[in-house]
Structure formats: structure tokens, C-alpha cells
């Protein structure tokens, strides 16, 4: 077994992609051949890009049929980015998590009555406990049921834009992407609309930009000596947000919990979300296996972009998660 990872190891923050420091896996406790097995496995599952960071340095990186400039819609992994943007807005005192959504967006933002809407807070949207059904109609009292609800989630973009006075791209650039040096991250309006007829937005990113985001999370909200988002918010966001689904934080998926409810039907899976992964892993997970995983205990950030990689057990989860992490962990000496 490799010696325990030094959790106090200094984190390296890249500047440009061209100058991003690398590290030889063999010098930091990895079996290179077995690490290549993990990468080969990813490639066999329609992966286009995978990046693995160790304490901010590139430990491994591969591309299939594309190069490092490749960008794609990260699907619901965008939720974790939006969570951090909400945290920054809270830090800037532009809003409160316990503020009522109707106070910000006004009445009529859902498909239920103004009285029902008025009970729903920003925190309810962040934790998938709004009490709304997936068509934004009333299902139950807020805070009493966990339901993975994309249409309710998308109100958070509207909240950010309303309170900041900026469009989603401008505020993302100013608050997050520019400070991180993320130059290949772009919000794009999707052709489909939600149940209120409002346009939906997708976030396209490169695997390296997504790794920069993961590195910010690994560094607890710091980037090269600058505080981007408060450690207090990230601590809240990456812990169980409620007891209904302990594997869900504030738009982050959490490993190591007693059980998980998985979308779209909230089926229960007993045991950790990804048994083979470190128990402290938290993640942004998107449809067709768009991934950003973070393990602070091992100093790891792993991002994956591509086509659907495995047998899907949920909107955001497939057998790829378990099989990739089994191979990654087998590569640690």
C-alpha cells in the first residue's frame, strides 16, 4: 500500500494551460501500468477527455479523437458550478439561502399558486426539496420530500441574474472563470424550454477547465492565494443537506453515505454512491457520464467528458463511476 497522502501537501495552481505543471505518477505513489489500465478503460467507454490532478499537477491526461481544446455540454455537472456561484452571491451579500424565491423572482415563477410559491426558499432549490413536481406544480410541502428536479433547479440561474444584474455568462466570467483562468467555459442556450416555456441553458467546458473548477473545490475555495468562495459555504454545500437523501448536498453528490436516492424516480441504493471510490469523494455528475470528482484525502481531482460511458442506473450515474474508481484505486501502490 502507498503511504497515506499528505493532506498538507502544497497545491499547485496552474496559470495557462500550456504551462500547467505535471507530475510523474511513479514518483508520487502510483503504479504507472495500472494507471494506464484505468485510462484505457475510460477510452473503451466512449470517453473523449479525462484529466487527473494530484495536488493540482496533471498526473494523467488523455484524449480520444479530440484534443485539449475539446468542449462539450457538461449536463447536470453544471449544477455544482451554479452551487458555487450561489455561494459567491451569498458571500457578496446579494442573497440568503433562506430567502424566499418569490422575494427575488416575484410571483408566477412556478406552476403553482403564489401562496405555495411563497413557502419555497433558495435552499429548497439547492437541495432538491422544493416540494414541486418536475412540471413545477405543487407536489408536497417544501422540505418534506427529495426529488431531483431540473426545472426547479434552473430557477437558480434566474436568481443569480436577477440579484447580480448580470447575465449568466458575464457573472460566471467575473466571479469564477476569469479568476480560475478557465478560458474554455461557455453558457449556451439550449433549443428546448422548461415547463414554464423558459429557455434552458447548458454549460460547455473543457476537461481542463472542469479540472480547474475541481481544484478550486479541493483547495476549499482558494485559488493561488485569493479567496473565490467561502470555505463555510463549500462545507455546507458538500455535506448532507437533509436526511431524505444524505448523498446529496447543495447540488453536489456525496460518497460515503448510508444510502442514496437516485433520479429520476428517487430509487434507493443502500451503501455508498461509489463504493470503490474514497469515502470523502464529492462530485458534479451529468447525463451521459460528464464528471468532476474531488477527493481531498487523496489530493485528487478527476474530470471526464464524452458520450454515455456505461449502463445508466440514473440520470447522472452509471456503472462507469464504480468501474473507473476501482481501476484508479488499484493503481495506487
Amino acid at each position: 500500500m502507498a503511504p497515506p497522502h499528505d493532506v498538507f501537501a502544497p497545491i499547485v495552481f496552474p496559470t495557462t494551460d500550456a504551462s500547467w505543471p505535471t507530475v510523474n505518477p511513479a514518483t508520487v505513489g502510483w503504479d504507472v501500468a495500472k494507471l494506464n489500465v484505468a485510462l484505457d478503460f475510460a477510452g473503451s467507454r466512449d470517453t473523449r477527455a479525462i484529466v487527473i490532478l494530484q495536488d493540482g499537477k496533471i498526473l494523467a491526461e488523455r484524449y480520444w479523437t479530440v484534443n485539449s481544446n475539446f468542449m462539450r455540454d457538461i449536463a447536470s455537472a453544471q449544477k455544482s458550478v451554479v452551487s458555487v456561484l450561489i455561494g459567491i452571491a451569498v458571500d457578496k451579500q446579494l442573497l440568503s439561502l433562506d430567502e424566499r424565491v418569490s422575494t427575488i423572482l416575484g410571483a408566477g415563477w412556478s406552476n403553482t399558486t403564489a401562496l405555495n410559491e411563497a413557502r419555497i426558499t433558495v435552499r429548497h432549490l439547492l437541495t432538491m426539496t422544493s416540494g414541486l413536481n418536475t412540471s413545477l406544480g405543487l407536489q408536497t410541502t417544501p422540505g418534506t420530500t427529495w426529488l431531483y428536479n431540473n426545472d426547479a433547479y434552473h430557477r437558480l440561474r434566474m436568481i443569480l441574474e436577477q440579484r447580480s444584474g448580470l447575465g449568466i455568462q458575464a457573472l460566471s466570467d467575473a466571479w469564477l472563470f476569469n479568476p480560475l483562468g478557465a478560458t474554455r467555459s461557455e453558457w449556451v442556450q439550449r433549443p428546448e424550454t422548461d415547463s414554464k416555456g423558459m429557455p434552458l441553458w447548458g454549460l460547455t467546458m473543457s476537461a481542463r477547465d472542469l479540472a480547474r473548477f475541481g481544484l478550486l473545490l479541493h483547495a476549499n475555495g482558494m485559488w493561488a492565494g485569493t479567496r473565490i468562495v467561502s470555505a463555510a459555504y463549500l462545507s455546507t454545500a458538500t455535506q448532507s443537506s437533509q436526511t431524505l437523501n444524505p448523498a446529496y448536498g447543495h447540488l453536489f453528490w456525496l460518497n460515503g453515505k448510508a444510502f442514496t436516492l437516485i433520479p429520476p424516480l428517487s430509487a434507493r441504493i443502500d451503501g455508498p454512491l461509489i463504493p470503490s471510490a474514497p469515502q470523502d469523494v464529492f462530485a458534479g455528475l451529468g447525463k451521459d457520464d460528464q464528471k468532476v470528482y474531488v477527493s481531498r484525502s487523496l489530493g485528487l481531482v478527476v474530470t471526464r467528458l464524452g458520450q454515455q460511458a456505461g449502463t445508466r442506473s440514473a440520470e447522472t450515474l452509471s456503472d462507469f463511476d464504480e468501474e473507473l474508481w476501482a481501476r484508479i484505486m488499484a493503481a495506487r501502490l
Side-chain angles (χ1 to χ4, degrees):
M1 293 292 292
H5 172 257
D6 180 4
V7 295
F8 299 107
I11 298 174
V12 173
F13 296 93
T15 50
T16 65
D17 277 358
S19 63
W20 200 320
T22 61
V23 62
N24 182 343
T27 67
V28 288
W30 293 85
D31 181 312
V32 175
K34 289 183 178 179
L35 186 58
N36 281 327
V37 168
L39 298 174
D40 289 343
F41 165 75
S44 74
R45 291 291 191 92
D46 280 335
T47 297
R48 295 293 174 266
I50 189 168
V51 174
I52 304 177
L53 306 182
Q54 174 87 66
D55 299 314
K57 296 179 181 179
I58 294 176
L59 181 82
E61 179 178 32
R62 274 213 209 155
Y63 300 91
W64 293 265
T65 74
V66 299
N67 60 28
S68 61
N69 294 329
F70 172 72
M71 298 166 61
R72 69 149 288 159
D73 190 328
I74 63 170
S76 283
Q78 69 160 259
K79 291 182 171 72
S80 299
V81 176
V82 166
S83 177
V84 168
L85 292 172
I86 289 286
I88 296 170
V90 171
D91 294 341
K92 293 177 178 293
Q93 299 184 325
L94 296 177
L95 58 84
S96 161
L97 296 189
D98 294 315
E99 196 168 354
R100 299 182 187 279
V101 176
S102 296
T103 302
I104 305 168
L105 298 182
W109 60 268
S110 75
N111 286 320
T112 186
T113 66
L115 181 61
N116 290 329
E117 284 181 340
R119 300 187 177 103
I120 300 170
T121 66
V122 174
R123 193 185 303 273
H124 288 136
L125 298 184
L126 284 165
T127 59
M128 300 293 179
T129 59
S130 67
L132 298 174
N133 61 31
T134 55
S135 298
L136 297 181
L138 181 66
Q139 181 179 41
T140 188
T141 304
T144 63
T145 301
W146 188 90
L147 178 68
Y148 195 77
N149 192 329
N150 283 315
D151 280 11
Y153 151 75
H154 279 287
R155 268 60 208 154
L156 291 167
R157 175 188 58 81
M158 299 165 65
I159 286 169
L160 285 166
E161 292 183 333
Q162 179 67 29
R163 280 295 166 87
S164 70
L166 299 170
I168 188 63
Q169 185 69 48
L171 74 87
S172 298
D173 285 341
W175 296 0
L176 189 61
F177 299 152
N178 290 346
L180 269 53
T183 59
R184 296 189 178 278
S185 298
E186 182 181 1
W187 287 96
V188 177
Q189 187 173 323
R190 293 172 175 165
E192 66 267 30
T193 58
D194 67 13
S195 53
K196 286 287 289 183
M198 302 296 290
L200 298 173
W201 288 74
L203 177 57
T204 64
M205 297 183 77
S206 69
R208 282 192 170 198
D209 273 13
L210 193 53
R212 286 174 183 269
F213 173 69
L215 185 57
L216 173 71
L217 302 173
H218 169 40
N220 216 15
M222 293 291 291
W223 189 269
T226 299
R227 171 65 61 188
I228 305 299
V229 62
S230 66
Y233 178 80
L234 287 184
S235 177
T236 297
T238 57
Q239 293 183 36
S240 301
S241 58
Q242 27 63 50
T243 58
L244 301 162
N245 185 5
Y248 205 74
H250 288 57
L251 303 179
F252 282 94
W253 289 97
L254 315 177
N255 201 31
K257 305 305 178 184
F259 68 90
T260 305
L261 302 184
I262 60 171
L265 300 177
S266 298
R268 175 170 168 149
I269 297 177
D270 287 322
L273 181 70
I274 310 171
S276 64
Q279 295 298 284
D280 73 322
V281 161
F282 57 91
L285 303 176
K287 183 180 179 181
D288 294 338
D289 295 296
Q290 317 317 314
K291 316 285 188 185
V292 53
Y293 313 95
V294 179
S295 171
R296 290 181 180 142
S297 66
L298 295 185
L300 291 180
V301 173
V302 181
T303 65
R304 184 267 180 192
L305 302 177
Q307 304 305 308
Q308 183 175 330
T311 302
R312 190 186 302 167
S313 58
E315 190 170 328
T316 55
L317 196 71
S318 78
D319 64 343
F320 177 78
D321 300 85
E322 174 68 13
E323 294 197 28
L324 176 67
W325 273 104
R327 288 163 175 79
I328 289 174
M329 296 306 292
R332 285 186 43 83
L333 292 170

